[in-house]
Amino acid sequence: MGQAAYLLTNKPILILGTSALILALLAILFQFTLVTGVEKGTLEGKVYSISQRPIGGGNRSVHRIDLAKVKLPDGNFIIVRCERYCKLDQEIKITVYKPLFSSELRYVYERN
């Protein structure tokens, strides 16, 4: 009990511990909010067309990502991020992600 009381009364340790906990929670929140989200399931479809979109600063393309227009079995189309792995008329399995603070779903083709 004496050691726990010492840790709670020692201000530098308390400040460092609280800061580390806050940073860890922010990293987890960032991962599920902006990067991926929570996995909601999978879909299957056929690649209908492929296009590229630049991402980066301003109008300059620091990096290009491939976007595929995929036709689902029910006839609907969705846009999927596929990073140079998609080919026309290819049957693919798509992972669906939902960010924590958004209603917009993200569709990603992850090659195994």
Side-chain angles (χ1 to χ4, degrees), residues 87-105:
K87 295 181 176 37
L88 287 176
D89 296 327
Q90 175 186 9
E91 292 284 334
I92 61 173
K93 186 179 275 190
I94 304 153
T95 307
V96 181
Y97 293 100
K98 183 184 179 307
L100 290 179
F101 301 113
S102 174
S103 60
E104 181 181 319
L105 296 176

Side-chain angles (χ1 to χ4, degrees), residues 55-103:
I55 59 173
N59 283 335
R60 289 190 243 146
S61 67
V62 175
H63 178 68
R64 291 187 180 272
I65 59 169
D66 288 341
L67 298 174
K69 188 175 185 180
V70 176
K71 186 174 185 179
L72 300 175
D74 64 1
N76 290 329
F77 289 95
I78 59 172
I79 302 297
V80 176
R81 184 175 177 168
C82 62
E83 294 293 332
R84 294 178 295 220
Y85 303 130
C86 297
K87 295 181 176 37
L88 287 176
D89 296 327
Q90 175 186 9
E91 292 284 334
I92 61 173
K93 186 179 275 190
I94 304 153
T95 307
V96 181
Y97 293 100
K98 183 184 179 307
L100 290 179
F101 301 113
S102 174
S103 60

Side-chain angles (χ1 to χ4, degrees), residues 11-59:
K11 290 195 190 282
I13 292 176
L14 183 64
I15 290 171
L16 287 175
T18 305
S19 299
L21 180 64
I22 289 172
L23 286 175
L25 291 174
L26 285 174
I28 292 169
L29 186 65
F30 175 78
Q31 174 70 25
F32 286 112
T33 303
L34 297 176
V35 179
T36 57
V38 179
E39 187 174 326
K40 287 296 185 181
T42 58
L43 297 171
E44 292 187 13
K46 190 173 189 177
V47 177
Y48 186 76
S49 67
I50 298 173
S51 62
Q52 286 190 336
R53 183 183 71 178
I55 59 173
N59 283 335

